[in-house]
Amino acid sequence: MDISGPEEVEPFLSPVFEDADPDRAVLAVIGLGYVGLPLAAAFAARGRRVIGYDLNAERVLRIRAGFDDTGEVASADLQQALAGGLVPTADPEHLREARIMMVCVPTPITPDRRPDLGHLLSACAILGPRLAPGTVVIFESTVYPGVTEDVCGPALADASGLIVGQDILLGYSPERINPGDRDHRVDTIVKVVAGQGDAVVDALRRLYGGLNGGRIHCAPSIRVAEAAKVIENAQRDINIAFVNEIALICERIGLSVHDVLAAARTKWNFLDFRPGLVGGHCIGVDPYYLSHLSQMIGHEPEVILAGRRTNDHMADEIADRIAFRFREVCQEVLRPLALILGATFKEDVPDVRNSRTPQLARRLVRHGFRVAIHDPWLSGEKIRSLGEVEAINWPKSKDERVNLVVIAVEHQDFRERPLEDFVDLLIPGGLIADPKGMCRGLSVFPSLNYWSL
Ligand SMILES: NC(=O)c1ccc[n+]([C@@H]2O[C@H](COP(=O)([O-])OP(=O)(O)OC[C@H]3O[C@@H](n4cnc5c(N)ncnc54)[C@H](O)[C@@H]3O)[C@@H](O)[C@H]2O)c1
């Protein structure tokens, strides 16, 4: 890995690219979400002029007012970025000024689990007519190998009338930040870069290296960089699927998977993954990009799709096991009330994209439960929009007690609570279901039943 600091580079081959000098070019970031805003803010905080363009005018207004609703950029940092050179805008005409553009738009999947490149194509259609010759366009969105050069390149050429590889140059640099993670940030993690030709690679090395102290890995081609990103997430998905499968086996034979993993982890090369619900827009989505490519070229991706199947069904499996256990210990309760704690796709973020809690809730409803959800990161309106559920605050009085508590997401707010708080939520004799084993101390509390994977 090359983690050397920024160094002198050859100028671009063609003088047309003079204004795309990585040290002084006006930058643009397209898509100011979880990925784009931290990136734009990091450059702007260093005094760079950054046109931050997003289709969503409401989001732009909030950013201009100094608020990042994703919670990734603190207000003080956003204010610093706005003072430093960040220009949030919903007017694409402002893009004309930029000579290095970074595209950070979503890459979700369609309902039939195929790559949905619609946002990328829309971004290309918006950018194209506003591209000046001599612009470098870098894609950061997660895609399968070939999308940047074979899909986005032609789309930009069509929309701009320019020749890709000559009038404009493409780069790719996948984003690896992890929302809610305060340790792995834009300015600390190693960035993989690739581009059309050595001059672009050097420009990207210099551009991003200025943000993260030169922690740059130069991949030999755009396709390699695209592949690296998508396999990082597919690998994680498969490893979680493996421990999820182990968890289901252990549960059937009366073993705690957490005890089993604690023992196995003492081996030096045992991989440390935990069972759980895989949601969000990356780990549960990106493997479908990889499998789509694989199928296009005639290879059926057995392992990748097996992992997806396991993780996609985990919420149903957990709900079924909980309902079974509930009926064992509380047979006589009619229309029991369940409280699910946590509805975001992971802990300590306000993001509900592909969250598995709605799936868990729907399955519990099918088992005859009435379901309420509490999530300190979400408004009542947001929770109700997830469907078939009530939103409630942390119950305060005995009248609000429930028959079943399911700890679905390990928010810090929950982790910091004493175990008695969870006991107080429950009608005596009820069940606490704690799939991830966050509150295993509850297993010894009298007057309640405790279930974990
Ligand atoms: N969020 C993460 O943790 C993460 C981490 C690594 C990589 N990624 C990848 O980064 C990309 C962006 O993800 P995100 O989480 O930031 O998405 P996001 O939904 O948080 O933000 C995307 C933004 O792009 C805007 N947008 C959509 N189409 C647009 C267009 N045509 N022009 C301008 N703006 C447009 C949306 O309004 C939104 O504000 C995806 O490919 C994702 O897979 C995300």
Side-chain angles (χ1 to χ4, degrees):
M1 179 176 60
D2 176 0
I3 55 166
S4 57
E7 52 187 54
E8 282 307 307
V9 293
E10 293 288 311
F12 280 112
L13 295 177
S14 151
V16 174
F17 285 91
E18 198 183 339
D19 290 339
D21 183 317
D23 294 329
R24 52 183 185 81
V26 175
L27 307 175
V29 172
I30 294 94
L32 298 177
Y34 281 87
V35 163
L37 185 62
L39 185 70
F43 280 116
R46 287 161 177 76
R48 294 295 291 263
R49 184 165 170 79
V50 185
I51 311 298
Y53 169 70
D54 200 293
L55 280 179
N56 183 340
E58 231 172 88
R59 169 121 178 102
V60 168
L61 281 180
R62 292 280 294 159
I63 293 170
R64 268 195 212 146
F67 298 105
D68 172 18
D69 295 324
T70 68
E72 288 303 295
V73 183
S75 276
D77 295 338
L78 189 48
Q79 296 292 359
Q80 194 192 343
L82 290 164
L86 176 61
V87 184
T89 179
D91 178 358
E93 291 308 310
H94 286 122
L95 292 168
R96 291 185 185 278
E97 202 191 325
R99 288 297 173 272
I100 297 183
M101 312 224 178
M102 288 160 271
V103 180
C104 306
V105 299
T107 43
I109 47 173
T110 58
D112 64 346
R113 296 171 177 161
R114 303 260 156 214
D116 175 358
L117 302 178
H119 295 281
L120 272 178
L121 291 172
S122 138
C124 293
I126 293 167
L127 280 184
R130 294 161 180 104
L131 283 179
T135 303
V136 175
V137 184
I138 307 161
F139 290 86
E140 293 225 356
S141 302
T142 306
V143 291
Y144 57 82
V147 169
T148 301
E149 288 163 297
D150 298 346
V151 178
C152 298
L156 284 175
D158 277 356
S160 65
L162 298 172
I163 299 173
V164 175
Q166 183 182 308
D167 303 329
I168 56 172
L169 293 169
L170 302 180
Y172 184 76
S173 181
E175 187 48 75
R176 290 167 150 171
I177 60 159
N178 180 24
D181 181 338
R182 303 290 157 221
D183 297 329
H184 302 102
R185 315 292 303 168
V186 165
D187 50 3
T188 61
I189 49 188
V190 174
K191 198 94 169 92
V192 173
V193 300
Q196 285 184 313
D198 292 347
V200 181
V201 175
D202 278 340
L204 266 59
R205 183 220 298 262
R206 198 143 142 186
L207 180 73
Y208 290 110
L211 278 189
N212 69 2
R215 295 179 184 83
I216 303 294
H217 174 91
C218 299
S221 70
I222 289 178
R223 279 174 157 74
V224 166
E226 291 170 323
K229 170 67 196 180
V230 82
I231 73 155
E232 286 167 19
N233 285 352
Q235 183 195 59
R236 193 164 170 74
D237 192 46
I238 289 162
N239 280 300
I240 296 171
F242 172 73
V243 287
N244 274 340
E245 185 153 46
I246 298 305
L248 296 176
I249 295 169
C250 285
E251 208 259 356
R252 287 251 159 101
I253 56 173
L255 296 181
S256 158
V257 70
H258 305 293
D259 289 342
V260 173
L261 290 175
R265 228 176 261 134
T266 59
K267 189 180 176 202
W268 60 94
N269 59 359
F270 186 78
L271 300 179
D272 188 11
F273 285 88
R274 295 178 64 201
L277 300 172
V278 179
H281 43 278
C282 288
I283 309 290
V285 166
D286 300 346
Y288 288 118
Y289 274 67
L290 191 52
S291 55
H292 172 77
L293 169 75
S294 179
Q295 284 161 342
M296 277 198 308
I297 55 167
H299 174 81
E300 194 54 31
E302 310 271 349
V303 178
I304 299 166
L305 287 180
R308 274 292 68 236
R309 272 194 300 278
T310 302
N311 285 341
D312 271 350
H313 288 136
M314 199 60 190
D316 290 343
E317 290 276 2
I318 287 176
D320 291 351
R321 308 284 165 115
I322 292 172
F324 180 77
R325 181 78 186 122
F326 185 83
R327 288 298 163 206
E328 277 186 333
V329 295
C330 311
Q331 295 108 329
E332 74 288 357
V333 186
L334 290 174
R335 296 281 290 146
L337 181 58
L339 170 62
I340 300 180
L341 298 176
T344 57
F345 89 85
K346 62 179 264 194
E347 64 282 358
D348 303 325
V349 293
D351 193 347
V352 294
R353 284 177 293 176
N354 301 324
S355 162
R356 294 298 173 173
T357 293
Q359 186 183 351
L360 187 71
R362 278 195 301 276
R363 193 78 166 194
L364 287 174
V365 168
R366 277 181 54 188
H367 281 291
F369 288 87
R370 291 169 293 145
V371 178
I373 293 179
H374 167 69
D375 193 310
W377 283 82
L378 301 176
S379 68
E381 190 189 352
K382 188 80 189 170
I383 289 174
R384 278 186 290 276
S385 73
L386 301 175
E388 292 191 58
V389 293
E390 266 310 302
I392 59 173
N393 291 324
W394 188 277
K396 297 268 184 309
S397 80
K398 285 188 174 177
D399 299 342
E400 295 172 290
R401 288 179 172 185
V402 298
N403 307 101
L404 168 69
V405 172
V406 183
I407 304 170
V409 183
E410 294 179 313
H411 287 311
Q412 188 171 353
D413 186 78
F414 302 152
R415 292 197 302 270
E416 286 175 347
R417 284 180 181 269
L419 293 180
E420 287 73 11
D421 279 13
F422 296 89
V423 178
D424 287 346
L425 294 173
L426 210 61
I427 292 166
L431 175 70
I432 292 193
D434 179 20
K436 292 187 91 171
M438 186 186 91
C439 298
R440 294 184 72 202
L442 285 170
S443 59
V444 295
F445 266 69
S447 85
L448 64 79
N449 298 289
Y450 176 82
W451 174 90
S452 181
L453 277 171

